[in-house]
Amino acid sequence: MEVDMDCGQPMMKHLPDPEGKSIFQSHVEEVGAHPQHSQHGKLLGIAALILNVVLVAFLIAIVFVDINLTSVGSLSSTARALYVTGTTILASLCTYLTASQIRMLWLRRVDKQLYNGKSYEKADPFWRTVLGISSISENLQYWNVSLTFLVCGLTTTAVVAGLASSPNSYQIVQNYALADSNDYHCANVESSNPEQAGIWTLHNGSFYQVWVNLDFCPTSLIMSLMGSVNVIDSSNYGYADLGVAIHPSALGAPASIYSSQTTAEGAAVTLWLNETLDTYKTDLLSTSQCVPVLTANPIQCARENNITFSSDGYLTITSSDGCTAITYPGLGALNTTESGWSASGICAHGDIGTATIVLGGLLADAGYAAEAIGDITWIKEWDAGSVPIPKLYGISCTVDTASVIDTRNVTLTLLDNSGNTDSFARSLSAQDLQSCTPISLSGGQDPVSDKLLATAAMGPWQLLNLGALEILRSVLINPAVSQLNNDHTIYVRQPPFAFNNSRNALEDIFGLSSALAMSRLTLTGSTGQADYAGTAMIANTRVGTGERWALVYVLPPLISSLVLLALLLTTSRQVPFTASKLTDLAAILNHHPRTPIPPPPDLPRTQCDLDPHAHPPGDTHAGTITHTRGTQTELPALGVLAGQDLGEGVHVDQAAEQALPEDEGEDPPDAGQEGEQALQDEQEQIEALEEGGRVQAVDAHEGGRGAGEEDAGLVDELVGGVEGAVGGEGGGGEGEEERGGHALVDGVFGDVDEQEGEHAVWEGG
């Protein structure tokens, strides 16, 4: 045992066993302890390992496999809250089990350290770190232990985030209808020439005709659709049709695939989209189908110089291939230069889908024609007044729909969250520029038929017939011009255009008219239909995001699994106690108690921890000390010191008040004399305390005496004092006094000799 030189407090210290065994090993041998808890703890550790492996596998699986929470649509707010709560609870339970088993396995290492004789002081920082009550410096010292618990704690976050509900979609079959390849009343084969526009002579002498001016035929509706043309930013979308923005990559796509109106009497084909919308409503995200579109502008326009105004008042324009348009403004037209006249027409020739357009202007219309195709040089001459009367300007255009109509996979987006069009929630666009083959449900119909080629070629007819140069001026000139200007070059509309190959506004507008005519082939005119199979994307909700980056959520349970596996393999050996149980530690310490040795009366002490408010010398507590000496137990100070923390001082008055152990009904020998003997026992110690609570410190090594000699002298002195005190009392014989006096000494100090010879010593005073 050591003496605290600061406070005079005895300290306790276990000495090593003579055989080199720790007190834990000695305890195991003496009581025969067995590791009954080992198998149960190992099974829990294995269970935690399996649980984390399952979590790792599941978090990986949901990245590559769709696990749906709903078949259609998203979770309601209540369902989402319950789902998050449930996953959080499950994740927390998993984390708790994992952390507890990692902590238990770390504590097994503490068990081994103590069992192998490692001191408490050296094992304490590691033990505190494992229990999670360590200081910052201890956490840094054993960072590997702290890191395992930190990573384990992140398992809850990883599981909750990895299993979070996310928007998802799946694909279903979506039917759609296109015009079949058969003739119908708007485009058919005639045996004789009806002498009108839109007629192609076939190789067998018959004629293929498009009835351009017949009601409910596509070509008769073009003028009413021109208001939807986008002239501000045509590269964004070419035109808007039925609330859908048509991207330049999908111009000419049949309106039947994006029209959401109910099929009415006289409609050309079945509108399958409306049926799908009725079933899935807003959970229908998009549809995809392979349809014919205009991949480029089929019309190319340039200036035509073969334009005349005859002396008899006829305006005539003729193209190089013989297409001619004539109108009669009369000679009176020359009387006013503010008015304008035009002649226009379209001539079908060659293969179906090819044609020529001629367009000529007189006076004001000549200027409009030059502005339409962007002839800046001629416009400047006009402004300079160098164009002679009659002012004439001619245009001819070639049409070839067969070379630019092809099939594309187009997607109808029903909720354009990305804002591709900036204006419309629904948009139609082609995802790639490769040809596709539609999946026919009607027996191998060709979606690019003669009637489609012919209808597209005749798209500009109505515009030409109504005076295109004047009625189309709002879509032909620069939309940024808001007032009259003498510089007419600013009226020229510049790119971008809807078609990439459009060189001027006029040919771009003519190309869009062809696209609109194609789109109406399946909505009007009662054409026959051919059904095809497309796809539709339906919104639902899935577990996890399904993205590859979500694999990062695997790391916490994966690392926890590796930690558990490593600890299970390296700490498999058990000891018959655990530092995680106070009962185990208490059993060992109680079996090998650290019993302190009571100091002799003149043992050097200091006053550092004496209560400054203690009672003065001579108080009743001193009498209490004297009175309580009459038991067979150790001195009251011994009882107090034995229960005192090693770092605390002793309160003298409180020590005197400390209750003594009960005799438990036993009658030890010489009990009759104990009262008298206790009255005088250690009187010198009481007197020293009453003199002021202090004693004079004496160097234990003074005079060259060793510790053993000092103890022997003190014992002899104490024996003499006790015998003298007992001898001074009356009422007892000499032999009785001697027997009583030595019995008390033996009772108080008998254990000292035994402890000195075994587990405790006095060290440097």
Side-chain angles (χ1 to χ4, degrees):
M1 188 176 74
E2 299 176 351
V3 177
D4 187 343
M5 296 308 297
D6 292 331
C7 303
Q9 173 67 36
M11 298 181 65
M12 297 169 287
K13 178 180 180 181
H14 285 289
L15 290 180
D17 188 271
E19 300 180 4
K21 300 178 180 178
S22 69
I23 62 169
F24 297 95
Q25 294 172 336
S26 300
H27 174 72
V28 170
E29 294 178 358
E30 292 175 14
V31 303
H34 298 285
Q36 300 176 354
H37 65 282
S38 302
Q39 188 65 23
H40 177 66
K42 185 175 182 179
L43 290 177
L44 284 177
I46 294 174
L49 174 61
I50 295 174
L51 178 61
N52 279 272
V53 171
V54 171
L55 284 178
V56 169
F58 189 72
L59 289 173
I60 293 175
I62 61 176
V63 172
F64 301 97
V65 179
D66 286 354
I67 300 179
N68 295 322
L69 295 173
T70 62
S71 59
V72 177
S74 59
L75 291 172
S76 65
S77 57
T78 301
R80 185 180 295 107
L82 292 175
Y83 177 76
V84 172
T85 301
T87 54
T88 303
I89 292 174
L90 290 176
S92 299
L93 292 175
C94 294
T95 302
Y96 172 77
L97 176 61
T98 303
S100 65
Q101 293 310 302
I102 291 177
R103 181 171 286 108
M104 189 64 67
L105 291 171
W106 279 122
L107 284 173
R108 289 184 189 177
R109 297 197 173 189
V110 179
D111 299 342
K112 287 186 178 180
Q113 292 173 0
L114 296 178
Y115 186 78
N116 294 329
K118 189 171 185 177
S119 66
Y120 299 130
E121 291 77 7
K122 293 182 179 180
D124 182 64
F126 182 79
W127 181 69
R128 287 166 51 84
T129 303
V130 173
L131 294 181
I133 57 175
S134 57
S135 64
I136 295 177
S137 61
E138 290 169 339
N139 275 318
L140 294 176
Q141 180 181 1
Y142 298 102
W143 60 268
N144 55 333
V145 177
S146 304
L147 185 61
T148 59
F149 292 112
L150 174 61
V151 174
C152 179
L154 292 175
T155 301
T156 299
T157 302
V159 172
V160 172
L163 302 184
S165 60
S166 302
N168 192 33
S169 61
Y170 61 93
Q171 193 176 86
I172 63 171
V173 176
Q174 163 72 17
N175 292 342
Y176 64 99
L178 300 177
D180 63 13
S181 58
N182 300 323
D183 293 346
Y184 76 121
H185 69 276
C186 292
N188 55 16
V189 176
E190 295 287 339
S191 58
S192 60
N193 189 348
E195 298 293 336
Q196 68 166 31
I199 299 173
W200 285 268
T201 302
L202 302 180
H203 298 293
N204 59 6
S206 59
F207 302 92
Y208 193 87
Q209 173 180 317
V210 174
W211 299 88
V212 290
N213 60 345
L214 190 63
D215 290 341
F216 310 113
C217 289
T219 52
S220 67
L221 304 175
I222 302 305
M223 193 65 223
S224 63
L225 299 174
M226 292 307 297
S228 64
V229 170
N230 180 11
V231 296
I232 297 177
D233 184 11
S234 298
S235 61
N236 190 0
Y237 65 94
Y239 56 85
D241 189 19
L242 301 174
V244 179
I246 310 301
H247 191 265
S249 60
L251 297 174
S256 56
I257 67 171
Y258 57 80
S259 174
S260 58
Q261 59 189 352
T262 303
T263 302
E265 184 178 356
V269 299
T270 303
L271 304 180
W272 294 103
L273 177 62
N274 188 64
E275 296 183 11
T276 309
L277 283 171
D278 287 343
T279 302
Y280 296 101
K281 297 180 173 57
T282 57
D283 294 319
L284 176 61
L285 299 178
S286 64
T287 64
S288 295
Q289 43 274 310
C290 178
V291 298
V293 299
L294 283 175
T295 62
N297 194 339
I299 301 175
Q300 300 291 302
C301 298
R303 182 177 180 180
E304 177 59 61
N305 293 319
N306 190 10
I307 180 173
T308 61
F309 183 70
S310 65
S311 59
D312 53 358
Y314 285 92
L315 177 62
T316 303
I317 181 170
T318 303
S319 65
S320 59
D321 58 5
C323 182
T324 301
I326 301 174
T327 188
Y328 179 74
L331 293 177
L334 299 178
N335 296 330
T336 172
T337 58
E338 299 297 329
S339 298
W341 299 85
S342 62
S344 59
I346 183 169
C347 307
H349 57 81
D351 296 331
I352 296 176
T354 60
T356 299
I357 297 174
V358 289
L359 176 63
L362 172 66
L363 299 176
D365 282 11
Y368 299 159
E371 292 170 357
I373 65 171
D375 191 342
I376 301 297
T377 302
W378 193 92
I379 294 173
K380 289 182 177 180
E381 293 178 358
W382 172 285
D383 289 341
S386 57
V387 177
I389 300 295
K391 298 180 179 181
L392 300 173
Y393 197 93
I395 299 172
S396 64
C397 307
T398 60
V399 180
D400 184 6
T401 58
S403 64
V404 295
I405 294 180
D406 197 3
T407 54
R408 293 286 187 271
N409 276 313
V410 298
T411 298
L412 171 65
T413 304
L414 294 163
L415 185 58
D416 189 2
N417 292 322
S418 60
N420 290 332
T421 65
D422 299 327
S423 302
F424 294 87
R426 297 182 180 183
S427 63
L428 183 72
S429 61
Q431 301 304 310
D432 57 63
L433 302 180
Q434 301 299 319
S435 298
C436 60
T437 301
I439 302 174
S440 176
L441 303 177
S442 304
Q445 294 271 353
D446 186 0
V448 183
S449 60
D450 286 343
K451 63 183 176 184
L452 181 65
L453 299 176
T455 299
M458 291 296 110
W461 173 85
Q462 192 175 53
L463 305 180
L464 296 168
N465 189 58
L466 296 176
L469 293 176
E470 294 183 3
I471 63 174
L472 293 179
R473 186 162 173 75
S474 61
V475 293
L476 291 175
I477 65 173
N478 184 0
V481 177
S482 59
Q483 60 184 6
L484 295 175
N485 197 297
N486 291 327
D487 181 7
H488 290 84
T489 59
I490 67 172
Y491 290 101
V492 175
R493 181 182 155 200
Q494 301 294 335
F497 299 117
F499 293 99
N500 290 332
N501 64 328
S502 294
R503 299 171 299 180
N504 52 69
L506 182 64
E507 64 185 29
D508 197 58
I509 292 299
F510 282 165
L512 290 175
S513 67
S514 294
L516 288 168
M518 287 176 58
S519 71
R520 284 303 180 274
L521 186 61
T522 55
L523 278 189
T524 187
S526 298
T527 181
Q529 74 178 53
D531 292 330
Y532 298 87
T535 60
M537 298 301 296
I538 309 301
N540 70 331
T541 305
R542 60 160 289 161
V543 176
T545 63
E547 302 290 339
R548 297 296 184 269
W549 62 263
L551 290 173
V552 70
Y553 296 132
V554 173
L555 293 179
L558 177 61
I559 295 175
S560 297
S561 300
L562 297 176
V563 170
L564 282 168
L565 180 61
L567 290 176
L568 284 170
L569 293 176
T570 57
T571 58
S572 58
R573 180 174 176 269
Q574 295 288 322
V575 295
F577 63 88
T578 174
S580 63
K581 290 186 177 181
L582 287 176
T583 54
D584 284 10
L585 296 177
I588 296 172
L589 295 177
N590 287 337
H591 191 73
H592 297 271
R594 293 181 171 186
T595 305
I597 303 174
D602 56 351
L603 181 69
R605 293 177 180 269
T606 63
Q607 198 180 1
C608 64
D609 283 330
L610 293 179
D611 190 343
H613 302 291
H615 295 285
D619 203 349
T620 56
H621 297 291
T624 303
I625 296 174
T626 304
H627 177 70
T628 55
R629 300 295 183 182
T631 66
Q632 194 180 355
T633 62
E634 298 172 341
L635 295 176
L638 175 61
V640 174
L641 294 174
Q644 193 75 15
D645 288 341
L646 295 180
E648 298 181 359
V650 180
H651 193 299
V652 175
D653 295 331
Q654 291 176 351
E657 293 176 346
Q658 178 69 36
L660 297 176
E662 298 292 340
D663 292 337
E664 299 182 359
E666 297 181 1
D667 294 327
D670 302 326
Q673 287 80 27
E674 286 180 355
E676 295 178 358
Q677 295 169 357
L679 293 175
Q680 298 299 326
D681 187 28
E682 296 181 347
Q683 187 65 32
E684 291 86 348
Q685 180 181 2
I686 299 173
E687 291 175 355
L689 292 172
E690 291 177 345
E691 287 178 359
R694 294 180 62 96
V695 295
Q696 297 297 322
V698 179
D699 188 357
H701 300 283
E702 185 178 356
R705 293 188 301 169
E709 296 175 356
E710 178 72 10
D711 293 342
L714 291 174
V715 171
D716 292 339
E717 183 179 348
L718 181 58
V719 171
V722 173
E723 290 177 346
V726 175
E729 291 280 336
E734 182 177 351
E736 196 176 18
E737 292 172 358
E738 182 179 356
R739 183 175 62 255
H742 285 286
L744 177 61
V745 172
D746 292 340
V748 174
F749 293 101
D751 291 338
V752 174
D753 296 332
E754 181 180 354
Q755 292 180 16
E756 286 181 345
E758 294 182 2
H759 297 294
V761 297
W762 289 95
E763 297 183 355

